[in-house]
């Protein structure tokens, strides 16, 4: 079992930061409404419902209707935060997301709950590993994958202030904090969590802390790894990627998603366009077997040791 | 696809609504004549652009005309007014008739119609939200407009506003499950500010609705989903005006209006012919159809 | 999620169907006792594995037991027989009770239940097609099983086969539009070899169906979509047997059976409590629930 | 307006090859059925319906039901060829494709009609530019993008014989033949349409002939371009890509789809893993403006001249 980040005793469920931030924003801005598919509990939106009973719209178990209705609400001046399990929200309402949200330019925030393999033993029907690649393929869709409570809060704050469609992943998987609390997020800007000049590890979401732990292991072996938290997959911080390609010998991406077309794909596409370097891409590379979320991250080589192996491979040492 | 369409093919003149309180007979005559002009212009649009969905255009034009000509509380200078009524064309493939209707009532310059389907035009083959002032939603994929309309209706409720929402769908379109999700939601939230009009022409893309995927009994379905159902002749401007224009609302229930129509109406060789779903009239057919429209008693029913 | 579950927690014994022609009273008693054993085992499974959907398990177990114990023409040695009946568990979140039912009737070794949710187990939190012999479809996302069942029923029709298809859905699940698409298709193709059973426990994940998204009048909806509708006490093995086991089929119409149930039935503190949708009984609750099940008259109604 | 390939006077609608092949296969194998969403005409399946009226299942305008039913048909031993406009088939039934087709291992053939920008003036709601990236993100899904009638027929033949889920694009956009008629397709194997050692152009679908025309222009300027038809995006012919990276100075991909996560992404991911070289990726990079299909391909720089520009950029000359 993967050890927690040195010094981090506490872990967090990012849904708490999500709902706290949303409630605070909704107090200031009455345009904000929640839209759910029978998912108040699984989105931890009880506090939102208590504070704003009329502004929490349950559409029942009906994801197409959920996103379509959100488009109508948005076009009539509301700011809907649509919140449902990432697997159903994305796969079931894909055309509404493409047409009613992105193409129509509606001001909709899609909050994909418990993405990746967060649902662990509930299996591949409940895993949402394709969502990042799927959403990234859609023009004008901002795709955010926060790593911890601070990034989650910052992503939600940023999304509320931005006029357009945003997809944000919000995980239930316990993670330690990798940032202090008052983070400001700028889509298109990665956060450098650790400087380094041998190799660059680019991660996002729940595996960022595992990547930091890998960098510590590498440091102990005399390898200096730069670590970026690439919260925003679209737009991507291409400058930070190109700098990494120029200044270090290779790049490893780490994500709780299919790397094909995901963060791994986004970084690879940038690298070949500007400064080709060797890469390795870690992620959930197929339908997962039965196992807990943590078990599956290890299974797919995203233990610190697994990440170290990829970094060594890319460096050839 | 041809692109012969030019300014020479624009016959439409922009009109306005008759003032509130005008005698009903005058209003109905004005609507009928406007619908005729819209058909004439739409016919030219499809013929000279070489593409379009004329069958569904012609089954919907009377509903569109009555809504814009006498029912909807919206106007070209009020397209951003939060208190405007909302209209959503869910059967987006009849964009041609929609653009012509919007031009007829001054939402876009008539001259712009000449750009229909041309490179970089804002008059695409399916309506895009805000590509023309007054277009509330991007449609074309079927089964999107009703959920969006329910969202608008719920927004009105949240705002404590009396504004109304109208959605026009195809009948084949009601095979989409997304619509039944939205129907359930509309009645759950008791959205009596919502009116769904179904263009019940009995035909879809490839065949009749009965042969493709039977919808009957459509009224019973809507009733079981909590709607107040009524049926109307979808080409009868007076009947449409009385029904859609009525301010009465069944308490707590959204309305479901089954508008019985004919695809391609009233053209002799198009009417009820599924081939005219997206066939383009050739020169002879154009001339015949035009003559038939011109021969209609001005002001009489189309 | 705990993972204390081990072979020590397996109390189930595999059973078989009573021979055809057994007296009804005996069959009903056998079903009741089997359902009790399945509940006891499922309770242990959820408690010791530390996860599951016990509320929906317990509302569905009587239907599952009657189907596998007396209705479905399928057996462990015939899971590849093209002529077997098909059963699709559309409410896939009750995988636990499904695995236990399949084990009870010999489709998988009882010992395998001890792997429920464990790393690399084939007993995942939602059923996967063929992960266990007899599982016909991967479910979990709601609204998938009915379209799949319609496909099986149509395949039977194309094959000229008399085999039957049964689909069990949740009631909240009927909010999914995909189901209404499939309902329309089933009646359009006159699939009288299809039976849909709705586990009408009145609760979904977060609240009652009425409070979440009202389904009523559900029977009227199904009737308007062309189904022959009947209602039954979903915990009454005799009534379920008579209805589901009857070979009579309304000519040309698929059947829609509303099985009135209680989530968490018959446990005193679980029954009709939405919290038990996916709550896990702690040690005390486990002991109490177990005692309640053990105290049921063996062979009497659950 | 782009000129036709030198010597090619005739163009083809690949739907004809699709239906001819399907009818021939269905005569031999009675398990084959067609499943459509009111799309008999737009899929050109009239001949199939005439030959096998009982084996053409119209589900009405209901894409979720279409793919779900196909799963049931497949699980009961049929081989369903599901045929509908690519935009609706993929976006509207995404979860059924993920769960009922791919995860369940059902033997379903998804035929995405008129993909990319084939619907031209009908606009972005009817364009299917994300489908390749979307389908490629799904584990176990074979993704085929044929270039001409011969590739279309070969793809359909191969799909019918393979036991598992396949997505095949079938375009209405007129294309010249780039192959002789008796092509055999092997997923995971690209076809070398032209040898060359300066630069490699990897294309698929309707833009392959444009890419060949670009290679001729380059040859006239003394640049030797290898041209691959990468019909199969998943699995990808990684060997051919690595050879291209080793033996030529750079790669340009050309596709009628979003390159993010599409063919461009697939090639980029392969290249950085094995032999990093500079790349350019052409495709439909966002929601298109109004225009015909051919207009839009030129608009997105996929005229032979546009492709030449990218090849020169990647070569730096
Ligand atoms: C989701 C979706 N599936 C398929 C289509 C293709 N299509 C365009 S129009 C049409 C027929 C529509 O029939 P109906 O709703 O009855 O419209 P009308 O008869 O009024 O033209 C179809 C199937 C589509 N636009 N959207
Ligand atoms: C498409 C989809 N949306 C949401 C969920 C999450 N979910 C799991 S169970 C459930 C409630 C189901 O209620 P019901 O169908 O009534 O089942 P039962 O009461 O029998 O457990 C929900 C919303 C899901 N599994 N699939
Ligand atoms: Mg119609
Ligand atoms: Mg229920």
């Amino acid at each position: 079992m993967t050890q927690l980040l040195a010094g981090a005793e506490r872990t967090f469920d990012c849904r708490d930061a999500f709902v706290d931030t949303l409630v605070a924003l909704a107090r200031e801005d009455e345009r904000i409404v929640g839209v759910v598919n029978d998912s108040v509990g699984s989105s931890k939106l009880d506090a939102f419902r208590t504070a704003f009973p009329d502004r929490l719209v349950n559409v029942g178990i009906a994801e197409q209707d959920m996103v379509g209705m959100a488009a109508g609400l948005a076009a009539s001046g509301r700011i809907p935060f649509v919140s449902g399990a990432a697997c159903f929200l994305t796969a079931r309402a894909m055309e509404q997301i493409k047409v009613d949200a992105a193409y129509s330019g509606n001001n909709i925030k899609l909050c994909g709950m418990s993405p990746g393999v967060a649902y662990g033993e509930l299996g591949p029907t409940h895993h949402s590993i394709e969502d990042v690649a799927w959403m990234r393929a859609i023009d004008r869709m901002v795709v955010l994958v926060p790593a911890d409570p601070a990034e989650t809060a910052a992503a939600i704050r940023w999304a509320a202030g931005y006029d357009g469609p945003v997809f944000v992943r919000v995980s239930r998987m316990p993670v330690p904090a990798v940032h202090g609390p008052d983070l400001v997020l700028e889509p298109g800007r990665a956060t450098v969590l650790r400087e380094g000049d041998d190799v660059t590890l680019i991660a996002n979401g729940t595996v960022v802390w595992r990547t930091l732990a890998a960098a510590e292991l590498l440091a102990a072996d005399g390898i200096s790894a730069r670590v970026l938290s690439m919260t925003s997959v679209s737009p991507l911080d291409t400058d930070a990627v190109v700098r990494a390609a120029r200044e270090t010998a290779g790049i490893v991406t780490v994500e709780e998603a299919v790397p094909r077309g995901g963060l791994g794909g986004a970084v690879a596409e940038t690298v070949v366009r500007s400064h080709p370097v060797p890469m390795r891409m870690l992620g959930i590379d197929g339908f997962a077997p039965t196992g807990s979320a943590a078990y599956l991250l290890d299974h797919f080589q995203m233990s610190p040791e697994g990440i170290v192996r990829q970094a060594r491979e890319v460096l050839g040492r | 696809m041809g692109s012969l369409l030019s300014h020479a093919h624009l016959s439409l003149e922009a009109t306005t609504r008759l003032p509130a309180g005008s005698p009903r007979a005058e209003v109905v005559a004005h609507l009928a004549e406007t619908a005729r002009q819209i058909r004439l212009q739409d016919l030219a649009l499809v013929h000279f652009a070489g593409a379009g969905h004329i069958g569904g255009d012609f089954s919907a034009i009377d509903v569109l005309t009555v809504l814009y000509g006498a029912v909807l509380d919206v106007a070209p200078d009020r397209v951003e007014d939060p208190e405007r009524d909302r209209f959503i064309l869910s059967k987006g493939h009849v964009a041609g008739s929609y653009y012509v209707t919007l031009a007829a009532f001054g939402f876009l310059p008539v001259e712009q119609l000449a750009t229909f389907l041309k490179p970089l035009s804002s008059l695409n083959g399916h309506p895009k939200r805000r590509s023309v002032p007054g277009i509330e939603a991007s449609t074309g994929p079927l089964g999107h407009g009703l959920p969006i309309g329910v969202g608008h209706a719920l927004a009105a409720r949240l705002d404590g506003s009396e504004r109304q929402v109208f959605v026009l769908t195809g009948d084949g379109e009601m095979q989409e499950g997304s619509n039944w999700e939205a129907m359930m939601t509309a009645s759950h939230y008791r959205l009596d500010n919502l009116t769904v009009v179904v263009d019940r022409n009995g035909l879809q893309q490839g065949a009749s609705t009965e042969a493709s995927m039977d919808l009957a009994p459509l009224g019973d379905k809507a009733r079981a989903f909590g709607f107040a159902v009524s049926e109307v002749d979808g080409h009868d401007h007076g009947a449409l005006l009385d029904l859609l224009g009525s301010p009465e609302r069944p308490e707590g229930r959204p309305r479901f209006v089954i508008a019985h129509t004919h695809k391609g109406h009233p053209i002799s060789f198009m009417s009820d012919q599924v081939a005219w779903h997206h066939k383009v009239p050739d020169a002879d057919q154009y001339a015949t159809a035009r003559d038939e429209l011109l021969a209609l008693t001005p002001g009489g029913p189309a």
Side-chain angles (χ1 to χ4, degrees), chain B residues 56 59 91 93 169-173 198-205 207-209 215 261 263 277:
Chain B
S59 73
K91 44 172 285 192
H93 54 287
T169 75
D171 49 0
E173 182 175 5
V198 180
D199 185 344
R200 188 73 171 111
N201 57 27
L203 296 175
Q204 45 195 92
Q205 185 168 289
S208 69
T209 51
L215 289 159
T261 58
K263 225 160 175 163
H277 175 72

Side-chain angles (χ1 to χ4, degrees), chain A residues 58 65 76 78 95 100 104, chain B residues 86 138 144 152 159 185 189:
Chain A
N58 189 355
D65 189 33
S76 268
R78 296 278 164 174
E95 200 185 55
D100 305 347
S104 300
Chain B
R86 306 293 198 273
S138 311
H144 282 238
H152 278 288
D159 292 352
T185 307
Y189 284 105

Side-chain angles (χ1 to χ4, degrees), chain A residues 230-279:
Chain A
M230 191 64 80
T231 318
S232 159
V233 180
S234 198
L236 191 79
D237 188 340
T238 50
D239 287 349
V241 171
V242 175
R243 266 198 309 278
R246 290 233 167 82
E247 297 166 7
T248 70
I251 296 175
V252 179
T253 58
V254 193
E255 65 192 308
E256 190 194 348
V258 173
R260 290 188 298 286
L263 173 65
V267 172
E269 292 166 18
T270 305
V271 154
V272 295
R273 275 208 189 87
S274 49
H275 193 93
V277 290
M279 280 186 62

Side-chain angles (χ1 to χ4, degrees), chain A residues 76, chain B residues 151-165 193:
Chain A
S76 268
Chain B
H152 278 288
L154 194 67
R157 162 76 48 82
L158 288 170
D159 292 352
S161 161
E162 293 296 305
R163 62 186 188 255
Q164 298 290 312
V165 180
N193 52 355

Side-chain angles (χ1 to χ4, degrees), chain B residues 116-299:
Chain B
F116 181 57
L117 303 185
K118 288 198 178 144
L120 312 182
S121 167
S122 45
L123 304 186
N124 211 321
H126 292 90
K128 182 178 177 197
R129 176 171 177 258
R130 294 192 157 165
S131 65
V132 166
I135 295 187
E136 305 280 3
S138 311
T139 50
L142 298 165
H144 282 238
L146 189 40
I148 294 172
V150 172
H152 278 288
L154 194 67
R157 162 76 48 82
L158 288 170
D159 292 352
S161 161
E162 293 296 305
R163 62 186 188 255
Q164 298 290 312
V165 180
F166 292 81
V167 177
L168 177 62
T169 75
D171 49 0
E173 182 175 5
M174 291 306 295
Q175 292 153 0
E176 283 288 356
S178 53
N179 283 325
W180 298 101
E181 295 178 355
M183 296 279 287
M184 215 184 266
T185 307
S187 75
H188 180 77
Y189 284 105
R190 302 173 57 81
L191 298 175
D192 49 19
N193 52 355
L194 174 72
T195 301
V196 177
V197 183
V198 180
D199 185 344
R200 188 73 171 111
N201 57 27
L203 296 175
Q204 45 195 92
Q205 185 168 289
S208 69
T209 51
E210 290 72 20
S212 308
M213 181 50 55
D214 203 3
L215 289 159
L218 183 55
D220 285 356
K221 288 186 172 70
R223 255 182 299 274
F225 275 72
F227 277 58
V229 177
S230 46
E231 316 221 0
V232 66
D233 176 345
H235 299 306
D236 181 335
H237 305 103
L240 285 168
L241 176 66
D242 295 343
L243 183 64
L244 299 176
S246 159
E248 267 158 55
R249 290 290 176 269
E251 166 76 27
R253 277 191 300 159
R255 297 191 298 172
F256 191 85
V257 175
I258 303 179
H260 293 280
T261 58
H262 303 277
K263 225 160 175 163
H265 180 82
I267 307 304
S268 56
F269 57 90
M270 291 184 187
S271 191
D272 294 328
Q273 299 300 314
V274 74
W276 285 99
H277 175 72
H278 56 193
K279 205 169 142 168
V280 175
D282 64 22
D284 284 351
Q285 290 163 331
Y286 173 67
T288 309
R290 195 176 140 79
D291 288 347
E292 290 187 15
L293 289 171
L294 289 171
L296 293 177
T297 324

